[in-house]
Amino acid sequence: MSATTTPLSTTVPDDSGSAQRMRAAVMHGRGDVRIEERPVPTPGSGEVLLRVTRAGICGTDAGEFTHGPSMFPVERAHPVTGHHGPMVIGHEFIGDAVAAGPGAEEFTGRRFASGAGVWCGQCPWCRAGRINLCERYWTAGLSADGGLAGFVTVPATTLVEIPDASHDDAMGLAQPLAVGLHAARRSGAGPGDVVVLVGAGAIGSFILCGLAGSGAERIIALDVDPHRLATAGELGATETHDVSDRDPVALVHELTDGVGASITIEATGRDGSAQRALDTTRRGGRVLFVGLPHAPQPLDLAPTILREVEMTTTLAHVCTQDLPEAVELLRDGRIADLLLGEVIGLDDLVTRGLQPLSAGTAPGKVLVDPWR
C-alpha cells in the first residue's frame, strides 16, 4: 500500500485558454491511492470551482482503501454520475471560490465549506425535506471526483459561506460535524434520556457535539482508548468508561440498575456490535446504527421485538440544516482544538492518513492541505 507522487503544480485557472493542472489523490483500487497530476476541472452550470484549502479523510475512505472499492465507482459505473474508473477521493473539504459556471457567478471571491452531497430537489424525498435520501443523490469524492486535490467543482447548492475570521483548520471539520449533528438529531435524544454512545472515535466525537445540547440526563461514552474517552468528556459526555476488558452490555446494565439505555448509539460497525447495542437498550428504547459494518451481522431479534425496541439509522446529513449549524459551532475553534490531530500534505496521505485511520491509530482527525 503506497502512494505514487508527481511534481507539485499550483497553477490557478486563468483566461489564457491553456490547460491547467493540479495534483490529486486518485484511487485506482484496493490499497492503491496515487498522487497524480490531473486537469483542473471546469465548473458547469450552477457549479463553483473551489481552490481546496483543507480536505479531510474519514472511515469510509479508509474502509474503501483497505477493503474496497465497494462504494467508490472504480470497478463499476455509478448509477447517477456515470463515473467509472480511477477517482479523485475526498468528500470533506473547504476552499476559496475562484471560478463559477453560469448561474453561480456571485459565489466567486468567497470562502466556503461544501456538504459534498448533491440532491435533485424534485423527488418525493427532496420535497419532504429529506434531501440526503434523494433518489438521485450523489457525493463528490464518493460517487465522482472529490476534494483531495488542488481544485474541485461542486454545485453551489452544497456550499455554506465560512466567516472571515475562522481558521481553515477548524472549518475543515464542517462536513463531518454536520454528519454528527444529523445523527444526534436522528437519535431523538432529549430531556430525561440515558444515552449510551458506543465508540468515541471520529464520528462518535462529532455526534457528542450534537448530543451536548439535547438535554439528555446522562450521556455515557464507551470506548477502548483512554485519549478518546478523555476527549469525549470534554465534548459533553457525563460519564466515560473503558471497555477494553469489560463486557459493555453488562456494564451499561450495571450503570443503569439493570434497566439499560433509553437510547444506544452504535458508532463502530464492528462484528457483533449490532447485537450488543440491542442488548444494551431498555424496553421501549431506541438504537441508532451509525457505524457501517464490513460484513453482514446475525441478530437475535426475538428479545428485541418482545421489548419493543426501535431500530433506526442515519445517513450523511441534511446540508441545508446541518452544515450551517456545523459552521457556526466551529467558529470559536474549541471543537477543532479537541478533535484535530494533524494537517498533512498530499504526499503523506497514505502513510500518515489512510493507513493509520484504517489501523485505528490516527492521532485525532487528520486534515490535508493539498498545497503543502
Side-chain angles (χ1 to χ4, degrees), residues 132-352:
N132 60 317
L133 301 182
C134 171
E135 64 185 7
R136 294 187 57 78
Y137 195 80
W138 63 275
T139 304
L142 295 178
S143 319
D145 286 342
L148 273 164
F151 298 90
V152 62
T153 55
V154 285
T157 52
T158 71
L159 301 178
V160 170
E161 189 164 10
I162 294 172
D164 288 340
S166 301
H167 198 282
D168 284 340
D169 288 352
M171 289 298 159
L173 304 181
Q175 195 274 352
L177 177 55
V179 173
L181 296 177
H182 179 66
R185 190 173 290 112
R186 289 281 295 164
S187 77
D193 281 326
V194 176
V195 182
V196 171
L197 173 68
V198 184
I203 185 59
S205 295
F206 290 121
I207 293 171
L208 280 171
C209 295
L211 291 174
S214 68
E217 181 179 328
R218 298 168 70 185
I219 302 174
I220 303 170
L222 309 180
D223 205 284
V224 299
D225 184 282
H227 176 73
R228 291 198 294 260
L229 289 170
T231 301
E234 294 284 343
L235 290 171
T238 57
E239 304 165 49
T240 62
H241 296 274
D242 189 331
V243 292
S244 54
D245 58 357
R246 301 192 66 178
D247 176 5
V249 177
L251 173 62
V252 170
H253 282 277
E254 177 186 324
L255 294 171
T256 59
D257 297 324
V259 176
S262 47
I263 298 172
T264 302
I265 301 175
E266 207 304 300
T268 71
R270 295 180 183 274
D271 290 346
S273 61
Q275 186 65 59
R276 287 191 292 272
L278 294 172
D279 294 342
T280 297
T281 308
R282 67 181 60 177
R283 61 181 63 238
R286 179 183 303 113
V287 176
L288 176 71
F289 293 110
V290 181
L292 284 175
H294 291 301
Q297 297 188 23
L299 294 177
D300 181 6
L301 286 178
T304 302
I305 294 169
L306 293 174
R307 298 197 324 279
E308 206 171 75
V309 173
E310 298 177 17
M311 291 186 286
T312 190
T313 61
T314 184
L315 172 68
H317 61 103
V318 177
C319 187
T320 53
Q321 180 178 21
D322 299 307
L323 191 60
E325 183 180 346
V327 167
E328 182 62 30
L329 285 173
L330 291 167
R331 289 184 69 163
D332 64 8
R334 177 180 172 272
I335 292 174
D337 289 343
L338 290 170
L339 297 183
L340 184 61
E342 58 179 342
V343 180
I344 62 176
L346 277 175
D347 289 333
D348 294 321
L349 175 64
V350 170
T351 57
R352 292 171 61 188

Side-chain angles (χ1 to χ4, degrees), residues 85-150:
M87 185 189 75
V88 180
I89 63 175
H91 59 279
E92 304 175 359
F93 51 86
I94 66 170
D96 302 315
V98 295
E105 295 88 352
E106 71 273 17
F107 285 80
T108 57
R110 296 151 65 189
R111 191 165 58 128
F112 294 96
S114 174
V118 183
W119 62 98
C120 74
Q122 303 298 321
C123 71
W125 290 273
C126 287
R127 292 198 300 271
R130 303 187 72 180
I131 57 177
N132 60 317
L133 301 182
C134 171
E135 64 185 7
R136 294 187 57 78
Y137 195 80
W138 63 275
T139 304
L142 295 178
S143 319
D145 286 342
L148 273 164

